[in-house]
Amino acid sequence: MNAILLTQYGGSILGPIAKVLGWIMNGIFWVLDKIGIPNIGLAIIIFTIVIYLLLMPFTIKQQKFSKLSAKMNPELQAIQKRYEGKKDNDSMMAMQQETKAVYAKYGVSPTGSCVQMLIQMPILFALYRVFMNVPAYVNQVKEAFFPMVEKLANTAGSAEFLSNSENFSNAAMYAKQFTNEAFTSGNAEYIQNTFIDVLYKASTSEWKNLADHFPLATEITDTMQKMEHYNNFLGLNMGNSPSYTVHEAIAAGAWLMVVAGLAIPVLSALTQWLNVKLMPQASAASSNNDNSSMAASMKMMNNVMPIMSAVFCYTLPSGMGLYWIAGSVVRSVQQVLINKHIDKMDIDAQIKKNLEKR
């Protein structure tokens, strides 16, 4: 089955990045399997640490830019005030030159922070694509679905059953694949890939519903057990959402599992809040109304982000929540180290060096 390529994201920008990240994820899972702990949750944590360590040079540059920006903002505001209301060409050119000189003095570019963000954002978005469809990038997880998916694809009514949103809540995400010419013409590989895309995101109850409707109970149960083994992390199934886990636990009276299910969104909100607090904050004292408004908007966004993180993590698969928690923890540790590094930075010496270069 190694020759089968599942439905990887095919975007022109994120697609190739996701493929490279998929190779890394596949390698991590392979190593974990060799040492006897093939676990998707653990692979996600290690993968997150590796990616954020690779991005650390960009993060340092971004934070250094923020530190220097705080130092040079009074000079930029003084220039803006000096030329306030002057719209003639000479004044505009002079203002532009003086502003450019300040940036050169501090050795930064006006677009410095944006460049770092533009480099990092495609990588982080591609990361999401890998986590949302692990079988497409991790060989062993893909192989866990065989031979069950081959037999299921050849069973009458299976396509209609898997494409029905009443049976699989994530089926709507793949509606176009079920109507694609490759699917309708009977391309076996494409049909199997589409089935795995849906089944990977299936909850435990959806797997059981599948077993009840098709005469493949043994194959379906074996595959479900393999996926539960891969997805089990500290007692939680990374394929199930916390909302599903809590609902099932309440019905069964398993209150410890209710607490475990709520731990993912709660920890996501707490680590996000900690991450925000450690980030360099813009100064509220500013004579520029635009800057004050921007600072107020950023403050409101920072307060809302942990709440939104908890809401999303409650409804998405626990694996995504674990990734967000791991990412926030890694960023927080990075931020503490970066803050110590930047606080030791001699800004005056940096300015003198930049002036000498000029």
Side-chain angles (χ1 to χ4, degrees):
M1 298 306 168
N2 287 327
I4 294 179
L5 178 67
L6 291 179
T7 313
Q8 297 184 354
Y9 181 68
S12 58
I13 297 176
L14 297 185
I17 299 173
K19 187 170 288 188
V20 172
L21 296 177
W23 291 338
I24 298 173
M25 181 71 169
N26 186 55
I28 291 171
F29 198 89
W30 182 84
V31 172
L32 289 176
D33 180 53
K34 290 299 180 184
I35 61 177
I37 45 174
N39 186 277
I40 290 175
L42 186 56
I44 286 173
I45 292 174
I46 296 172
F47 185 69
T48 304
I49 293 171
V50 169
I51 295 303
Y52 277 97
L53 285 176
L54 292 175
L55 291 175
M56 195 164 184
F58 300 110
T59 306
I60 292 173
K61 287 183 179 180
Q62 192 174 347
Q63 297 309 317
K64 188 180 289 186
F65 176 86
S66 298
K67 184 80 171 179
L68 290 170
S69 293
K71 184 84 172 177
M72 70 183 182
N73 271 343
E75 295 181 39
L76 293 175
Q77 291 168 13
I79 294 171
Q80 291 171 359
K81 190 173 182 180
R82 188 158 57 248
Y83 289 97
E84 189 175 0
K86 297 179 181 179
K87 302 296 182 183
D88 60 282
N89 190 56
D90 289 342
S91 296
M92 295 292 286
M93 289 294 291
M95 179 180 172
Q96 187 179 2
Q97 288 300 318
E98 289 184 33
T99 301
K100 187 177 178 181
V102 171
Y103 277 103
K105 172 183 172 183
Y106 286 89
V108 296
S109 165
T111 59
S113 182
C114 295
V115 170
Q116 308 308 325
M117 287 292 290
L118 287 173
I119 292 172
Q120 293 182 66
M121 289 308 291
I123 296 174
L124 298 178
F125 282 130
L127 258 170
Y128 174 81
R129 296 289 181 179
V130 173
F131 288 154
M132 286 300 287
N133 202 6
V134 170
Y137 299 93
V138 179
N139 293 334
Q140 190 165 335
V141 177
K142 168 191 69 180
E143 289 168 359
F145 287 90
F146 293 91
M148 181 273 291
V149 76
E150 291 176 313
K151 294 182 179 180
L152 186 62
N154 291 320
T155 303
S158 59
E160 291 77 8
F161 188 84
L162 267 75
S163 62
N164 190 334
S165 295
E166 293 182 3
N167 299 324
F168 292 91
S169 58
N170 290 296
M173 295 174 59
Y174 303 101
K176 290 183 178 179
Q177 289 178 219
F178 281 100
T179 57
N180 188 285
E181 184 180 352
F183 193 100
T184 56
S185 65
N187 184 312
E189 184 177 324
Y190 190 90
I191 293 171
Q192 291 166 12
N193 292 348
T194 302
F195 278 20
I196 296 175
D197 287 338
V198 175
L199 290 171
Y200 177 68
K201 297 177 181 65
S203 66
T204 303
S205 62
E206 289 171 344
W207 273 101
K208 290 178 180 177
N209 189 28
L210 180 71
D212 290 339
H213 280 78
F214 294 95
L216 300 168
T218 302
E219 291 85 350
I220 293 173
T221 300
D222 287 347
T223 301
M224 184 174 70
Q225 288 176 347
K226 284 181 184 177
M227 291 310 302
E228 285 181 344
H229 174 65
Y230 290 160
N231 276 315
N232 187 288
F233 183 75
L234 300 178
L236 287 174
N237 188 324
M238 294 292 101
N240 290 336
S241 67
S243 62
Y244 173 84
T245 301
V246 170
H247 180 268
E248 291 293 298
I250 291 174
W255 301 108
L256 188 60
M257 282 304 296
V258 173
V259 174
L262 292 173
I264 291 284
V266 170
L267 285 173
S268 176
L270 288 175
T271 53
Q272 184 72 50
W273 174 83
L274 178 63
N275 205 212
V276 167
K277 290 298 179 183
L278 289 171
M279 290 289 288
Q281 303 296 315
S283 175
S286 172
S287 61
N288 188 301
N289 289 332
D290 291 338
N291 287 345
S292 297
S293 299
M294 186 178 297
S297 298
M298 285 298 295
K299 184 177 180 180
M300 183 178 71
M301 187 182 298
N302 289 341
N303 291 331
V304 170
M305 279 174 64
I307 299 173
M308 293 300 295
S309 176
V311 172
F312 286 134
C313 285
Y314 187 68
T315 56
L316 290 172
S318 295
M320 279 305 301
L322 182 64
Y323 159 61
W324 283 358
I325 293 168
S328 293
V329 171
V330 173
R331 286 196 303 272
S332 295
V333 173
Q334 278 186 334
Q335 198 61 60
V336 170
L337 297 175
I338 290 170
N339 287 346
K340 287 183 178 180
H341 169 72
I342 292 177
D343 287 341
K344 293 178 182 177
M345 185 174 68
D346 190 335
I347 296 179
D348 292 330
Q350 183 71 41
I351 292 171
K352 183 179 179 181
K353 184 178 179 182
N354 293 332
L355 289 172
E356 287 173 354
K357 285 183 180 179
R358 290 184 65 199

